[in-house]
Amino acid sequence: MDYESFFSDYTPHAKEMKDAAALVAKLQKLVDKDIAKGDTKAAAKDMAALREAIENASASAQALEESISSFDSKDYFTSGEFACQLVTHFAQLGVDIVGDAPVYEVFPYKLRIDAENQDIYLNRKKFSTSRPSYIADLVKAELDKLQAASFNAQKFASELEKGYDICIALQSKVQAGSPIMLKNIYSALVPIARLKSGYPEQAFAYDIARLYSVADSVELKSGHKIEFGTERANAASYRILDANGREQFLGSVRFY
């Protein structure tokens, strides 16, 4: 059974439990009110109704518990069904996802499925969920926030050029204007490990993607132009999506 089917089966049981609990609470208040007024006859009558409501609530709780235990979360993960439906949900949302279970990339995020423990890791953050649509919706919301966030291309380009200059200065045999690996520039801009949590490499890659789409129109105070080097897919390059949603692999940049 996939999770959405399970959730559909669970929902009526949950509603029945909610209604039963609400009735118990209502009758409890009536009994309290009866006793406060000194109406013991009404209290006895309402107490009998309360006892019956509690028995019904207990039966509803048992049905709800059986519904929950009917779903085999570990099998759902280890069978590959979770991963398959996760990819499907991303596709339905129009979100680009690449990779093979258990590791995927949803630019600029890395997503890993821990089937053994039924956990999902988005970058380094852990989510304990067996519902693929929950993760897909969460990532889509985060991507929408990133897209809506303001981005000063000129300021970022200037900071990138500073990192580029640092790398040039540290490599005596490399002349100004030569391509420098973007990953080396990131290390120069964020040299201390504890600072990386504030500006992770995935965020840097996302800023690179945004700059890449407008690089030709950015005017730097140095008068330099920006040229990114596209590469084949490899560990030394960043996989980004350009302004048209096309896949690009950027490995280097030069200012000239």
Side-chain angles (χ1 to χ4, degrees):
M1 179 187 293
D2 66 78
Y3 197 90
E4 295 308 314
S5 296
F6 158 69
F7 188 72
S8 294
D9 290 344
Y10 164 87
T11 300
H13 293 295
K15 184 180 185 305
E16 184 179 308
M17 181 71 249
K18 183 179 179 180
D19 292 343
L23 180 58
V24 168
K26 179 182 178 181
L27 290 170
Q28 175 66 58
K29 289 180 180 179
L30 280 178
V31 172
D32 290 344
K33 186 177 181 179
D34 294 337
I35 294 299
K37 292 192 303 181
D39 190 346
T40 55
K41 288 187 292 184
K45 180 181 178 181
D46 290 334
M47 188 62 219
L50 174 59
R51 186 182 298 110
E52 182 181 355
I54 291 173
E55 291 174 356
N56 290 335
S58 178
S60 296
Q62 183 176 350
L64 190 65
E65 185 177 9
E66 290 173 355
S67 174
I68 293 171
S69 62
S70 71
F71 185 76
D72 190 337
S73 180
K74 188 164 186 177
D75 180 69
Y76 186 49
F77 272 82
T78 57
S79 68
E81 194 67 17
F82 177 93
C84 180
Q85 289 172 19
L86 180 67
V87 171
T88 298
H89 280 294
F90 274 120
Q92 291 172 345
L93 293 172
V95 175
D96 178 77
I97 179 170
V98 296
D100 297 297
V103 180
Y104 297 92
E105 181 177 342
V106 186
F107 181 75
Y109 300 109
K110 300 290 184 182
L111 188 152
R112 180 171 67 85
I113 300 172
D114 181 353
E116 182 65 26
N117 297 298
Q118 298 94 64
D119 291 324
I120 307 300
Y121 287 86
L122 193 60
N123 290 345
R124 295 183 179 181
K125 189 172 182 180
K126 182 175 78 171
F127 296 89
S128 293
T129 179
S130 297
R131 191 177 189 185
S133 64
Y134 172 81
I135 287 294
D137 289 341
L138 183 149
V139 173
K140 178 64 164 61
E142 291 299 315
L143 291 174
D144 289 344
K145 286 181 186 177
L146 284 174
Q147 189 62 36
S150 61
F151 177 69
N152 189 323
Q154 184 167 345
K155 181 179 180 181
F156 177 69
S158 296
E159 293 171 345
L160 188 67
E161 186 175 25
K162 290 177 183 177
Y164 173 86
D165 290 339
I166 292 172
C167 291
I168 290 291
L170 291 174
Q171 301 179 49
S172 58
K173 295 183 179 180
V174 178
Q175 296 182 345
S178 299
I180 295 293
M181 299 304 294
L182 287 166
K183 288 182 177 288
N184 292 344
I185 296 178
Y186 173 73
S187 296
L189 291 172
V190 192
I192 303 174
R194 62 185 174 84
L195 296 179
K196 288 179 168 56
S197 60
Y199 188 51
E201 194 168 2
Q202 288 83 3
F204 175 71
Y206 191 76
D207 286 341
I208 289 294
R210 298 182 84 173
L211 178 60
Y212 178 74
S213 65
V214 297
D216 291 341
S217 62
V218 172
E219 296 182 0
L220 291 164
K221 290 182 180 180
S222 64
H224 291 153
K225 293 182 179 181
I226 310 168
E227 182 180 79
F228 287 99
T230 55
E231 314 283 342
R232 293 182 178 179
N234 59 61
S237 61
Y238 292 124
R239 175 188 175 272
I240 71 161
L241 298 178
D242 63 20
N244 297 312
R246 292 190 298 258
E247 183 180 70
Q248 301 284 352
F249 293 90
L250 305 183
S252 63
V253 68
R254 73 187 187 104
F255 292 85
Y256 63 99

